[in-house]
Amino acid sequence: MGNAYLEKVLNDVSKKNSNEPEFVQAVDEVLSTLEKVIDKHPEYQKIAMLERVVEPERLVSFRVPWVDDKGQVQVNRGYRVQFNGVLGPYKGGLRFHPSVNQSIMKFLAFEQIFKNALTCLPIGGGKGGSDFDPKGKSDDEIMRFCQSFMNELQRHIGADVDVPAGDIGVGAREIGYLFGQYRKIKNIYEAGVLTGKGLDYGGSLARKEATGYGLIYFMREMLKANGRTIKGKTVSVSGSGNVAIYACEKAQEYGANVVAMSDSNGCIYAPNGIKLDVVKEIKEEQRLRIKEYLKYDSSAQYFETTDRPKIWEIKVDIALPCATQNEIDLESAKKLVANGVMAVGEGANMPTNKEAIEYFLSNNVLLAPAKAANAGGVATSALEMSQNSMRYFWTFDEVNEKLDRIMTNIFEQCQKAAQEYGLGTNYVAGANIAAFRKIAKAMRSQGII
Ligand code: NDP
Ligand code: 2IT
């Protein structure tokens, strides 16, 4: 890094958080693209702009005891990170997955600040979750866990304070149990305290589809700006959860041939095109493994995950990582490039590690960065908050049109910032610069807090 101030802050972050590799990675990825912006603003050092941006405003960690179906008490750890509230109430999802720890929570909350800034809606950055593993749990166990989690979380959230939503392992079912418990404890119908709610009690139409659809809207704009289209392209989508399913749906609608999807156990390859209704039935209804897909499509093949996901070895024009962080490393990136990949769209948060990002960019692969490309989910959450405030709701088409406009605008911001700084089609840097400028400006206006 050419800027001494940036270098110092990054070194300090690495030292202070040496046991938080994902968090340090996320900070490094942002700071390493901000050199020219920081050069332009020497005054930032005196007001410790970067030191403040990398330090969470608040972080809570709490005990979550719950009783399993056998009557045994289990204990998990819950978190909420309220990273930066300069642009609005803290906003970001809850992740329930055994891998959750403070490093993962902080990296996700940090990314969320920038993503939320790009939406141009009034939302700050936060994230939370637990190391609870929802796999194999009964519906009753999920409910008891969510209730216990909310017993503590309710002290820290509110429609104008901090508004959680879903993420890995947290969907409409979990949000329903969380909302019910919040309402019971607080004795208030505060619809805007959570987003991703069911449509029958304050949820927004198109929120379920928003992250996946938004990713494809961003991809459409990125390809258009480079004289290409999605139509007729071969696509792989990792994961088979909320983001993956609706990215697949919109890509298919745009005329792509989606040939592969996955879960943590392995991937399916369906050269004739994924039958999405089957995936929805397996994942949204039955909550089973993706391998079950073979029962419904005799031309499909299944590859078990070993040391790294097999899905990136499949030849495609467009790869859409929609599962989890660091799912594409340098080795996988090399396979994708060798197979002629033209574009990568990050539906998951930080799915591509730093070496893989650099490899894609230096091989002229168009890369749609997570902070920008998957912002459709949180943007539509903010639209859910608006509807709740108005005590009104918009139709599916109204929300979807707003989402499309927001994603198009996010792409334009990334493109403009990249052009302004002579970075060509490096939308990774473009996204970071556009978001950082907005956050820094607001932080300066609000004084040293
Ligand atoms: P879901 O829980 O609905 O689905 C997650 C999918 O990813 C599942 O197929 C899961 O497989 C797979 N997966 C999760 N962890 C791993 C892992 N460690 N290794 C391999 N596969 C894994 O989550 P979402 O679809 O909501 O989230 C997916 C990604 O998108 C996450 O990175 C999330 O942060 C990001 N995101 C989500 C948004 C949203 O609105 N939901 C918004 C923006 C980003 P398995 O079932 O086997 O665990
Ligand atoms: O990573 C994300 O942006 C999300 N999980 C969605 C957050 C939200 O508040 O809708």
Side-chain angles (χ1 to χ4, degrees):
M1 235 177 274
N3 182 291
Y5 174 41
L6 270 175
E7 206 155 314
K8 179 189 174 299
V9 173
L10 184 59
N11 277 338
D12 288 351
V13 168
S14 310
K15 261 191 243 148
K16 247 187 178 170
N17 307 280
S18 56
N19 55 347
E20 296 180 358
E22 291 86 0
F23 175 58
V24 174
Q25 181 187 345
V27 172
D28 181 17
E29 273 182 28
V30 170
L31 295 193
S32 60
T33 59
L34 295 183
E35 195 179 317
K36 287 183 180 165
V37 186
I38 298 299
D39 284 345
K40 255 191 176 173
H41 291 280
E43 76 279 12
Y44 279 174
Q45 188 159 5
K46 179 137 192 260
I47 58 170
M49 178 62 77
L50 294 174
E51 291 89 333
R52 287 188 288 140
V53 164
V54 299
E55 193 64 32
E57 289 180 8
R58 191 171 302 103
L59 183 157
V60 289
S61 160
F62 49 93
R63 180 207 299 157
V64 189
W66 56 281
V67 184
D68 71 16
D69 285 347
K70 295 190 191 107
Q72 174 66 48
V73 175
Q74 304 284 347
V75 181
N76 285 98
R77 186 172 290 173
Y79 298 93
R80 188 71 185 167
V81 184
Q82 300 178 333
F83 216 121
N84 192 315
V86 78
L87 296 179
Y90 308 108
K91 181 84 195 85
L94 296 172
R95 176 177 291 190
F96 292 169
H97 192 273
S99 64
V100 163
N101 56 33
Q102 187 166 303
S103 173
I104 289 182
M105 291 288 98
K106 280 173 66 183
F107 116 65
L108 288 163
F110 181 74
E111 295 266 304
Q112 200 80 43
I113 312 166
F114 294 81
K115 182 193 309 193
N116 294 5
L118 288 173
T119 67
C120 295
L121 297 166
I123 40 179
K127 198 85 187 190
S130 173
D131 58 2
F132 172 73
D133 186 358
K135 276 203 196 85
K137 302 291 186 296
S138 70
D139 205 56
D140 285 347
E141 288 175 323
I142 298 282
M143 181 181 73
R144 289 195 292 271
F145 176 80
C146 288
Q147 290 175 339
S148 178
F149 186 84
M150 186 52 87
N151 285 344
E152 172 63 28
L153 188 70
Q154 52 91 17
R155 295 172 218 287
H156 311 289
I157 62 175
D160 293 313
V161 179
D162 182 355
V163 183
D167 193 79
I168 292 176
V170 178
R173 173 180 62 168
E174 291 72 21
I175 294 293
Y177 295 143
L178 291 164
F179 185 74
Q181 188 71 357
Y182 184 86
R183 190 173 67 76
K184 184 175 166 73
I185 297 170
K186 297 271 191 167
N187 191 27
I188 183 173
Y189 205 102
E190 192 182 335
V193 71
L194 289 168
T195 62
K197 297 182 293 294
L199 296 176
D200 41 357
Y201 65 93
S204 173
L205 287 158
R207 173 61 188 89
K208 183 175 70 173
E209 293 82 357
T211 312
Y213 280 19
L215 171 65
I216 302 302
Y217 297 151
F218 187 98
M219 179 61 69
R220 179 195 68 207
E221 292 304 306
M222 182 175 79
L223 293 181
K224 191 164 84 186
N226 291 277
R228 301 173 207 183
T229 62
I230 295 176
K231 196 171 163 49
K233 300 296 185 300
T234 326
V235 176
S236 55
V237 185
S238 69
S240 45
N242 174 262
V243 180
I245 286 176
Y246 293 96
C248 176
E249 183 165 286
K250 189 52 81 177
Q252 289 180 335
E253 207 182 297
Y254 279 178
N257 184 25
V258 180
V259 295
M261 290 184 84
S262 66
D263 62 19
S264 57
N265 295 104
C267 85
I268 45 163
Y269 173 54
N272 302 328
I274 294 280
K275 295 177 198 233
L276 194 59
D277 50 339
V278 170
V279 176
K280 283 185 182 175
E281 174 63 29
I282 294 169
K283 289 294 176 182
E284 293 186 329
E285 303 300 327
Q286 298 181 24
R287 298 178 189 270
L288 297 174
R289 310 314 300 155
I290 197 72
K291 195 178 177 184
E292 294 288 312
Y293 183 89
L294 293 180
K295 290 186 185 154
Y296 304 86
D297 184 349
S298 57
S299 63
Q301 288 170 267
Y302 178 74
F303 303 100
E304 199 122 324
T305 297
T306 47
D307 51 335
R308 58 169 57 79
K310 286 279 186 302
I311 193 166
W312 311 126
E313 295 176 23
I314 295 168
K315 181 177 165 54
V316 287
D317 303 310
I318 300 173
L320 302 175
C322 296
T324 193
Q325 64 276 355
N326 292 326
E327 50 174 314
I328 301 184
D329 64 1
L330 181 59
E331 199 71 16
S332 294
K334 282 183 176 169
K335 293 226 164 92
L336 283 162
V337 170
N339 281 327
V341 77
M342 157 187 109
V344 175
E346 296 185 328
N349 286 307
M350 205 168 75
T352 315
N353 76 14
K354 203 176 177 200
E355 294 78 44
I357 292 175
E358 279 160 12
Y359 191 77
F360 284 138
L361 294 179
S362 60
N363 282 278
N364 296 318
V365 175
L366 294 170
L367 182 52
K371 288 182 201 78
N374 74 27
V378 76
T380 308
S381 277
L383 299 178
E384 182 172 331
M385 291 162 70
S386 307
Q387 294 168 82
N388 294 150
S389 297
M390 290 189 291
R391 299 179 190 277
Y392 189 63
F393 68 91
W394 294 315
T395 64
F396 187 96
D397 288 347
E398 282 173 307
V399 180
N400 192 28
E401 270 162 35
K402 290 182 206 300
L403 167 65
D404 195 334
R405 267 204 300 277
I406 291 168
M407 296 314 297
T408 303
N409 174 268
I410 293 178
F411 174 72
E412 282 163 5
Q413 292 177 64
C414 298
Q415 189 183 35
K416 213 170 135 215
Q419 276 166 1
E420 202 181 316
Y421 285 86
L423 295 162
T425 56
N426 184 347
Y427 305 120
V428 178
N432 290 340
I433 292 169
F436 175 76
R437 284 196 303 207
K438 211 168 283 180
I439 297 155
K441 194 158 173 259
M443 283 179 71
R444 189 154 61 175
S445 306
Q446 291 185 23
I448 305 305
I449 45 154

